[in-house]
Amino acid sequence: MKSTEQSKEKLVIFDTTLRDGEQSPGASMTKDEKVRIAKALEKMRVDVIEAGFAISSQGDFEAVQAIANTVTESRICSLSRAMVADIERAGEALKGANAGRIHTFIATSPIHMKHKLQMEPNEVLEQAVGAVKIARSLIDDVEFSLEDASRTEFDFMCRITEAVIDAGARTINLPDTVGYSAPGEYGAMIERLLNTVPNADKAIFSVHCHNDLGLAVANSLSAVQAGARQVECTINGLGERAGNASLEEIVMAIRTRKDLFPVATDIDAVHIVPTSRLVSSITGFPVQPNKAIVGANAFAHESGIHQDGILKFRETYEIMKAEDVGWSNNKLSLGKLSGRAAFAARLEELGIVFDGKEDFNQAFIRFKELADKKREIFDEDLQALVSDVQMGTEDDVLTVIDLEVLSKSGQAPHAKIIVKYQDQEHSSESSGDGAVDAIFNAIEKLVNSETRLQLYSVNAVTQGTDSQGEVTVRLEKDGRIINGQGADTDILLASAKAYLNALTLMRNPGRLHPQLGGV
Ligand code: KIV
Ligand code: ZN
């Protein structure tokens, strides 16, 4: 499998932002948001997009289906446990895909088999083989994962791997599910497996590492040096608990250290930063400033000595170019005088396409309103604005019609709000310990949601005091955690939007978790 870069083998980039990434507490996304992210991943030339876990909810099924029907350049994958109903649901969701993949899995470590599955190893093996056969009867491309592979007994790992390859699995994934492994050990496991399993040459070996010990990227790269040819990763390292290996770090390590890795990816790296921003604004998970590649400080040199060195000769302190990963895209986008055509063209460049004319018109109206308040409109503003419009145009959402907040020193702030729900307007008012507290209290008087506020954060979308504030509100109810977002140059209005967005999302039924036993 040769890549675009001659003489190097291709490393398949399998992005699971929309599946494992969405398992981050609070990171649930709507169907439209998932389609937008999938399009950005396609543009970046990701090989495989794991679009969801089709059986987990009707919403996930529809998202996988919509992505399968929209994306043509990347292979679209759905997760399924090693169960007939799961596999059939995945196959159904993928029917419209240009290229599809069913990813089926079962746990193989003694601890998971005994305590979670309560099954004997032979039963697990039989079920794995059966699952792969069913999946192959529906689709050509089947991936099988040995969940908790890094804690699986080596002989059993070999037996099950050989059997599922014989049954038709094309990719074998060996996850470090609990983020327990260390680079030397994990790489050695992959190498030993490749050298032991007799039919190993009939499949691509894949890795999927969690970041509980901060080693997900290091473990994945060690496995690549040992012979793995697919890495499962996510934008911004989003994912269950401490997250997954971050796509941007894997891709740029491979590209920057060509001397160390015998592989190349097909990723078009200039789309990394815009995609990172898109994922962050949709999920409400900010990127820490010192995050490698996509953090605001990743290419900022503060020390005078460094700045001096860079001015004299860039390579003294820079190992990558900021513009190669898309930082140069951080440019002035549009202004007050820009018309519909310029607006549409810029959205298209950002990979944003609206389903209907109505949504586009709404977005254009919002753009004009924003341009009246803010002289320069940047790409980040457009992304925030579009998220906001898409939230507000779906059926059955709670939207702010009017907000008035009185805040005077020495007095408790007071908020009056009008909220629209199913074409009816409802008004409410309340005081609070602060202006935001007053707004949330007023909303709660209307909805009485019985949710608990876990997090409230404001992030400036661009620089300057006229920046839009992007507010994230995290609510919890009966163990379910939901993030809501809202953006506006008025951060009080953004806060009200974020709170209502979280309440709207909270009303959607929850999803089944893939790691629930239930086999
Ligand atoms: O971490 C894990 O083991 C997974 C599997 C379902 C692939 O996410
Ligand atoms: Zn995982």
Side-chain angles (χ1 to χ4, degrees):
M1 198 182 24
K2 294 282 179 225
S3 154
T4 38
E5 215 179 296
Q6 283 309 308
S7 84
K8 294 248 178 186
E9 276 186 66
K10 175 170 164 133
L11 179 68
V12 176
I13 296 296
F14 176 115
D15 180 280
T16 182
T17 307
L18 300 174
R19 198 279 296 169
D20 212 317
E22 206 197 16
Q23 284 170 224
S24 312
S28 66
M29 305 168 224
T30 64
K31 182 179 81 183
D32 288 343
E33 288 168 342
K34 287 186 178 181
V35 171
R36 277 174 61 207
I37 293 178
K39 282 186 191 156
L41 296 172
E42 177 186 34
K43 204 166 176 185
M44 203 198 283
R45 297 175 52 194
V46 159
D47 299 290
V48 186
I49 299 174
E50 189 162 53
F53 174 32
I55 202 160
S56 70
S57 70
Q58 182 61 19
D60 244 43
F61 176 84
E62 286 171 14
V64 176
Q65 196 173 44
I67 292 168
N69 291 338
T70 314
V71 169
T72 53
E73 299 295 314
S74 308
R75 187 172 288 278
I76 306 304
C77 171
S78 172
L79 184 68
S80 67
R81 291 167 300 183
M83 298 164 82
V84 181
D86 279 45
I87 296 167
E88 286 176 349
R89 196 78 176 135
E92 184 66 28
L94 292 170
K95 268 193 176 145
N98 194 21
R101 169 179 296 185
I102 294 178
H103 174 192
T104 188
F105 76 98
I106 193 165
T108 53
S109 63
I111 188 168
H112 276 232
M113 290 191 291
K114 180 163 183 231
H115 298 286
K116 185 177 85 169
L117 302 178
Q118 294 169 344
M119 286 168 79
E120 292 300 320
N122 280 343
E123 292 175 296
V124 168
L125 190 142
E126 204 178 304
Q127 185 149 343
V129 168
V132 170
K133 285 187 178 158
I134 296 166
R136 273 304 303 266
S137 71
L138 300 175
I139 207 159
D140 270 358
D141 189 330
V142 173
E143 170 170 337
F144 178 78
S145 281
L146 294 79
E147 189 192 357
D148 205 17
S150 52
R151 294 191 297 174
T152 294
E153 282 174 356
F154 187 72
D155 288 348
F156 186 55
M157 193 189 299
C158 292
R159 271 178 63 211
I160 199 162
T161 298
E162 184 180 350
V164 292
I165 294 176
D166 276 345
R170 296 266 175 276
T171 303
I172 304 298
N173 185 37
L174 290 312
D176 183 25
T177 302
V178 292
Y180 178 71
S181 214
E185 174 193 54
Y186 193 60
M189 178 190 95
I190 298 290
E191 189 172 352
R192 192 170 161 215
L193 191 65
L194 280 164
N195 290 335
T196 312
V197 172
N199 53 2
D201 59 324
K202 306 259 175 334
I204 289 178
F205 281 63
S206 164
V207 289
H208 173 116
C209 297
H210 279 272
N211 207 28
D212 300 67
L213 294 172
L215 294 172
V217 169
N219 285 341
S220 306
L221 291 174
S222 167
V224 169
Q225 283 175 318
R229 290 297 174 261
Q230 172 175 290
V231 171
E232 303 197 353
C233 45
T234 58
I235 301 292
N236 300 339
L238 206 66
E240 181 88 29
R241 304 182 310 279
N244 288 69
S246 114
L247 179 146
E248 57 277 8
E249 293 176 24
I250 299 281
V251 166
M252 291 315 290
I254 302 271
R255 192 169 150 162
T256 308
R257 295 306 309 270
K258 292 190 174 71
D259 54 328
L260 290 183
F261 300 101
V263 295
T265 75
D266 284 337
I267 296 295
D268 188 356
V270 292
H271 298 293
I272 284 179
V273 169
T275 309
S276 156
R277 284 215 199 98
L278 179 68
V279 169
S280 166
S281 95
I282 285 177
T283 57
F285 277 58
V287 174
Q288 77 199 54
N290 58 328
K291 164 84 177 63
I293 321 290
V294 293
N297 292 351
F299 292 88
H301 295 272
E302 182 71 17
S303 122
I305 298 176
H306 288 205
Q307 287 171 354
D308 181 53
I310 281 178
L311 289 174
K312 287 183 177 136
F313 188 61
R314 177 146 130 173
E315 280 79 15
T316 48
Y317 285 102
E318 268 191 8
I319 57 167
M320 297 169 275
K321 291 191 194 132
E323 55 269 33
D324 286 354
V325 294
W327 278 106
S328 55
N329 285 351
N330 190 10
K331 61 182 181 233
L332 175 66
S333 191
L334 296 168
K336 196 174 168 165
L337 299 176
S338 310
R340 297 174 80 87
F343 180 65
R346 191 68 203 131
L347 290 185
E348 203 186 323
E349 273 173 48
L350 291 172
I352 300 167
V353 183
F354 288 104
D355 280 346
K357 229 180 158 133
E358 186 44 35
D359 282 5
F360 175 80
N361 289 341
Q362 283 292 329
F364 188 65
I365 293 168
R366 288 289 312 282
F367 159 69
K368 283 291 180 183
E369 284 168 2
L370 184 63
D372 272 341
K373 295 189 219 161
K374 196 171 180 289
R375 217 162 32 88
E376 302 167 322
I377 309 282
F378 294 87
D379 290 349
E380 298 90 325
D381 288 313
L382 293 180
Q383 274 164 342
L385 178 150
V386 167
S387 294
D388 228 42
V389 167
Q390 290 187 330
M391 278 172 209
T393 52
E394 280 172 25
D395 295 341
D396 222 23
V397 297
L398 292 151
T399 21
V400 196
I401 298 298
D402 194 47
L403 177 69
E404 191 184 314
V405 183
L406 198 75
S407 189
K408 194 168 183 304
S409 26
Q411 282 181 17
H414 192 82
K416 282 188 189 171
I417 191 162
I418 302 178
V419 173
K420 190 164 127 194
Y421 177 59
Q422 290 180 338
D423 274 341
Q424 300 246 336
E425 292 187 3
H426 309 264
S427 60
S428 167
E429 56 186 287
S430 178
S431 299
D433 287 340
V436 174
D437 192 45
I439 296 169
F440 292 0
N441 289 345
I443 295 174
E444 276 303 326
K445 271 193 174 171
L446 285 176
V447 297
N448 191 20
S449 69
E450 293 177 354
T451 54
R452 207 168 55 83
L453 180 70
Q454 282 201 333
L455 176 135
Y456 168 81
S457 77
V458 189
N459 194 22
V461 171
T462 53
Q463 288 173 350
T465 48
D466 67 347
S467 163
Q468 290 195 86
E470 198 165 41
V471 174
T472 301
V473 163
R474 182 177 299 168
L475 297 180
E476 187 267 341
K477 185 176 182 180
D478 301 332
R480 263 187 88 207
I481 299 171
I482 296 289
N483 275 351
Q485 279 84 48
D488 203 282
T489 47
D490 174 348
I491 59 168
L492 293 181
L493 190 52
S495 304
K497 288 180 183 177
Y499 198 83
L500 291 172
N501 177 236
L503 290 174
T504 303
L505 294 171
M506 189 61 97
R507 290 203 321 263
N508 297 332
R511 290 158 35 240
L512 180 69
H513 193 288
Q515 263 98 6
L516 282 176
V519 180

